[in-house]
Amino acid sequence: HDALPICLIFIDTHTNTVTATIPVPGQAYGVAVDPAANTAYITNYDRGSVSVIDTATNAVTATVNVGKEPDAVAVDPATNSAYVTNYGGGSVSVIDTHTDTVTATIPVGNMPQGVAIDPATSTAYVTNPGSGSVSVIDTATNTVTATVNVGKEPYGVAVDPATNTAYFTNYDPGWVSIITTG
């Protein structure tokens, strides 16, 4: 049978209606938007790539090859970079958002999944469910500055720069780990 195409769906948040669908290759997992650049970044998990989408025209403008099984993506407008977790590769790929090229590959923990940027501290936080840790990346140098053990299977991550706090969900046993970031 014919496989259905994988599509990115745009929804007008004022009217809650679909405004566009854009086919992307493979299994689309993560998405991040850089509103200043009118660009969205979509991870293509089974293809090892990221689709770059111009949100003004709803067109795919580039496909960037990254590591194995890219899962999540976060944009850092301060460094003009997108950080992509490579679940199957134990790394984070850094994409230059002006050239749509990979400028660094950073080794992190086992099975990296979630990623969030703290613009106040120029830091990226990456969850590593396979090693029960969080990798702390200095976005100015693209180096891991710390590895913090947060318990079994951290997946989700969010940063609140106003309170200098990062939050990490732990799948099992079901708690939230909190790190002071500043």
Side-chain angles (χ1 to χ4, degrees):
H1 65 61
D2 293 328
L4 294 174
I6 304 299
C7 293
L8 178 64
I9 299 171
F10 285 85
I11 298 174
D12 181 324
T13 58
H14 296 290
T15 63
N16 293 323
T17 58
V18 174
T19 60
T21 57
I22 301 169
V24 293
Q27 298 170 329
Y29 269 41
V31 59
V33 175
D34 183 352
N38 293 324
T39 307
Y41 298 86
I42 313 301
T43 61
N44 305 311
Y45 186 82
D46 63 334
R47 302 290 174 97
S49 65
V50 171
S51 294
V52 181
I53 301 191
D54 180 331
T55 60
T57 63
N58 293 332
V60 176
T61 59
T63 301
V64 182
N65 292 322
V66 292
K68 185 178 179 184
E69 298 170 335
D71 195 312
V73 58
V75 174
D76 183 6
T79 62
N80 299 310
S81 301
Y83 288 78
V84 180
T85 60
N86 298 306
Y87 183 83
S91 65
V92 171
S93 295
V94 182
I95 298 172
D96 179 317
T97 59
H98 288 295
T99 63
D100 295 329
T101 58
V102 174
T103 58
T105 302
I106 307 164
V108 292
N110 190 14
M111 300 171 13
Q113 189 164 37
V115 60
I117 305 294
D118 183 349
T121 62
S122 299
T123 306
Y125 293 91
V126 177
T127 60
N128 304 301
S131 53
S133 66
V134 171
S135 296
V136 181
I137 298 172
D138 178 338
T139 60
T141 62
N142 288 329
T143 57
V144 174
T145 59
T147 301
V148 181
N149 292 320
V150 294
K152 192 173 179 186
E153 298 177 345
Y155 284 100
V157 55
V159 174
D160 183 354
T163 62
N164 295 322
T165 308
Y167 299 89
F168 307 92
T169 59
N170 293 81
Y171 173 75
D172 182 19
W175 66 52
V176 175
S177 299
I178 300 170
I179 296 175
T180 302
T181 61

